[in-house]
Amino acid sequence: QVQLVESGGGLVQAGGSLRLSCAASGGTFSIYHMGWFRQAPGKEREFVAAITWSGGHTRYADSVKGRFTISRVNAKNTVYLQMNSLKSEDTALYYCAADITATGYDYWGRGTQVTVSS
């Protein structure tokens, strides 16, 4: 059973930065594609960023492109989301997810809260 634990969230002023981490256990992290998602109050969960198992390919939602960077260190079983130039609309609960079967995200963490004050 794969377990994902997010950390690094918090309260930050607009224009500031945060780095989220997601630590994986219970499986073979180095073969999983990984993603970050977020859900704001009253809104549906939305895709933020994804990275392939090797780290060779990444993709981003248009709303975060140029501001957020996803990366991973397979030796540490960890994926990161560096968030710069934060805006109030980035306020949400951020989740990481693992795509093990290449058919969708199979495992999810419980999330870490990011609050951006304007």
Side-chain angles (χ1 to χ4, degrees):
Q1 185 79 0
V2 175
Q3 294 185 329
L4 303 173
V5 179
E6 302 95 336
S7 62
L11 174 64
V12 63
Q13 288 188 334
S17 298
L18 282 174
R19 188 177 81 154
L20 306 184
S21 299
C22 172
S25 62
T28 308
F29 176 78
S30 60
I31 66 172
Y32 306 154
H33 303 316
M34 298 294 296
W36 285 96
F37 294 76
R38 67 186 182 186
Q39 186 167 19
K43 295 187 177 181
E44 293 187 354
R45 186 171 59 195
E46 65 175 358
F47 168 78
V48 175
I51 188 166
T52 54
W53 67 271
S54 67
H57 292 89
T58 58
R59 62 187 178 96
Y60 299 90
D62 288 344
S63 59
V64 307
K65 205 171 292 184
R67 299 187 299 122
F68 290 11
T69 303
I70 189 171
S71 62
R72 65 191 296 162
V73 178
N74 285 346
K76 295 184 176 181
N77 289 352
T78 302
V79 63
Y80 303 96
L81 185 68
Q82 177 67 43
M83 306 186 296
N84 299 329
S85 302
L86 283 161
K87 306 175 181 180
S88 57
E89 52 261 45
D90 294 319
T91 295
L93 188 61
Y94 283 71
Y95 301 89
C96 72
D99 175 5
I100 295 174
T101 60
T103 60
Y105 289 93
D106 309 280
Y107 294 94
W108 295 80
R110 298 183 68 177
T112 185
Q113 179 67 39
V114 172
T115 302
V116 183
S117 63
S118 56

